[in-house]
Amino acid sequence: MHKLIYFLKKIYIPFIFLTVEVMAIYFYSNATPYSFSRLSSVSHYICGWSGSLFTRLGNYLSLKQDNIALNERIAELESLLANYKALYPQTVETELDLSPNMYVPAQVVSKTLNRSLNYIVVNKGIDDNVRIGMSVLSPEGYAVGYITNCSQNFSIAISLLNTSFNVSARLSDDRSMGTVSWQGGDIHTLRMSDISKYANFEAGQRVEAIDFSEYFPGGTILGTVESKEMNDDQTMYSCTLRIAADLSRIDNVILVDNREVEQVRILKQEPVAAPTTLEAVNEDTINQ
């Protein structure tokens, strides 16, 4: 009781002031039709402004969920498009598996950027029809990595930021081919080597995965050319690429089940080797 009396003593002056102000506004608004109209206009403006503010705030807070839903929709539409392309020759029978899970949206659970062999963990696994060898793309369709190990609910992918990861690629305009790899250090650049000295390209040209690439669907963008130089023997070009996907900020990815990749691996008799395991990732996380 004493605390209540003490509290009322502290706030009674502001309370009386507010009460008097409300009464004054009420009497003023009812004094003339003009004053009533003016106050109504001001109150409507304040209500509209505050409502708009809270709406924008709510929309901002829901951006993450909207982004997840958008990625799921993109994956669904990409799957439908792939199915229609496969079925286009209506008169040709095919045994192609038209699974609707050709494209699987996923969220990045964890990732590394400061090592020579960097990896990404996503929240989709065998239960979500994810399998080893699936390509990992950004929501924009840029190259990120590929799946090397799966559990029931999670999967590991090695990213482009891995010194053991070499990708066959080509210049999008010139079509000259080369090998793309990461040299370590800068997480925003790659190195493309073994480009023909007759290639005609300049800074800004895109570099994409070749058709029947082992890791990405043909045409997947890896990056853009920043600079080029000739090797010491004057026989080949090398160039620096700016990675298309910002791997330091990526939160959502799309896993692509590129069935042609598996055929290429079988023909080359190169098994998919996982650089790490989920158990190793968990142990590494605990050590950190």
Side-chain angles (χ1 to χ4, degrees):
M1 188 65 181
H2 294 289
K3 290 184 178 180
L4 177 60
I5 295 174
Y6 178 74
F7 175 73
L8 292 176
K9 285 182 178 180
K10 288 186 64 176
I11 69 165
Y12 83 95
I13 293 179
F15 178 75
I16 293 174
F17 174 77
L18 290 175
T19 302
V20 172
E21 283 291 320
V22 171
M23 292 176 63
I25 293 173
Y26 173 77
F27 288 123
Y28 174 75
S29 65
N30 289 279
T32 63
Y34 173 76
S35 60
F36 178 79
S37 175
R38 288 289 295 171
L39 285 176
S40 296
S41 176
V42 171
S43 65
H44 290 161
Y45 173 79
I46 294 174
C47 290
W49 178 83
S50 60
S52 175
L53 177 64
F54 284 113
T55 299
R56 290 197 298 268
L57 181 60
N59 290 338
Y60 176 79
L61 294 176
S62 65
L63 281 178
K64 183 176 181 179
Q65 294 300 323
D66 291 344
N67 193 32
I68 294 173
L70 181 60
N71 285 334
E72 292 176 350
R73 183 58 177 165
I74 290 173
E76 179 183 353
L77 293 176
E78 290 283 5
S79 297
L80 289 174
L81 179 61
N83 293 346
Y84 286 136
K85 286 182 178 179
L87 290 172
Y88 183 74
Q90 302 272 339
T91 58
V92 178
E93 294 185 0
T94 177
E95 297 180 354
L96 179 65
D97 177 17
L98 298 179
S99 168
N101 295 300
M102 181 178 291
Y103 292 80
V104 180
Q107 288 182 273
V108 175
V109 176
S110 65
K111 61 179 179 284
T112 61
L113 298 170
N114 57 353
R115 306 180 181 182
S116 59
L117 304 175
N118 292 296
Y119 61 83
I120 296 172
V121 180
V122 298
N123 68 339
K124 295 294 177 68
I126 296 172
D127 289 347
D128 304 290
N129 295 311
V130 177
R131 66 188 183 93
I132 292 175
M134 291 182 71
S135 306
V136 182
L137 307 181
S138 71
E140 299 83 9
Y142 300 144
V144 173
Y146 77 102
I147 299 296
T148 58
N149 207 325
C150 301
S151 68
Q152 296 303 120
N153 301 304
F154 296 92
S155 299
I156 295 176
I158 66 172
S159 71
L160 292 175
L161 305 179
N162 194 302
T163 53
S164 65
F165 192 10
N166 297 319
V167 186
S168 296
R170 67 189 174 206
L171 300 166
S172 58
D173 295 337
D174 184 84
R175 314 298 283 182
S176 295
M177 297 175 58
T179 301
V180 174
S181 60
W182 185 56
Q183 306 298 308
D186 189 354
I187 64 173
H188 299 292
T189 60
L190 299 171
R191 189 73 174 169
M192 185 174 182
S193 56
D194 301 330
I195 308 171
S196 170
K197 69 176 182 178
Y198 302 108
N200 182 21
F201 67 102
E202 298 296 336
Q205 186 168 156
R206 288 188 167 187
V207 173
E208 61 186 28
I210 63 171
D211 297 329
F212 302 106
S213 165
E214 288 188 67
Y215 304 111
F216 304 110
T220 301
I221 302 300
L222 280 76
T224 56
V225 176
E226 282 195 334
S227 61
K228 67 176 183 179
E229 59 273 347
M230 190 76 75
N231 63 6
D232 295 336
D233 298 331
Q234 301 294 305
T235 56
M236 292 286 182
Y237 274 117
S238 295
C239 63
T240 300
L241 307 181
R242 171 66 57 171
I243 300 178
D246 189 349
L247 301 183
S248 64
R249 296 184 177 183
I250 194 163
D251 293 319
N252 299 286
V253 293
I254 296 176
L255 312 181
V256 183
D257 188 3
N258 188 4
R259 292 168 177 80
E260 294 177 343
V261 168
E262 192 62 31
Q263 298 178 33
V264 173
R265 290 196 180 108
I266 292 174
L267 289 174
K268 297 183 69 174
Q269 295 182 351
E270 292 184 2
V272 178
T276 184
T277 63
L278 288 169
E279 291 79 7
V281 170
N282 292 334
E283 181 179 345
D284 181 55
T285 302
I286 291 173
N287 291 334
Q288 289 181 349

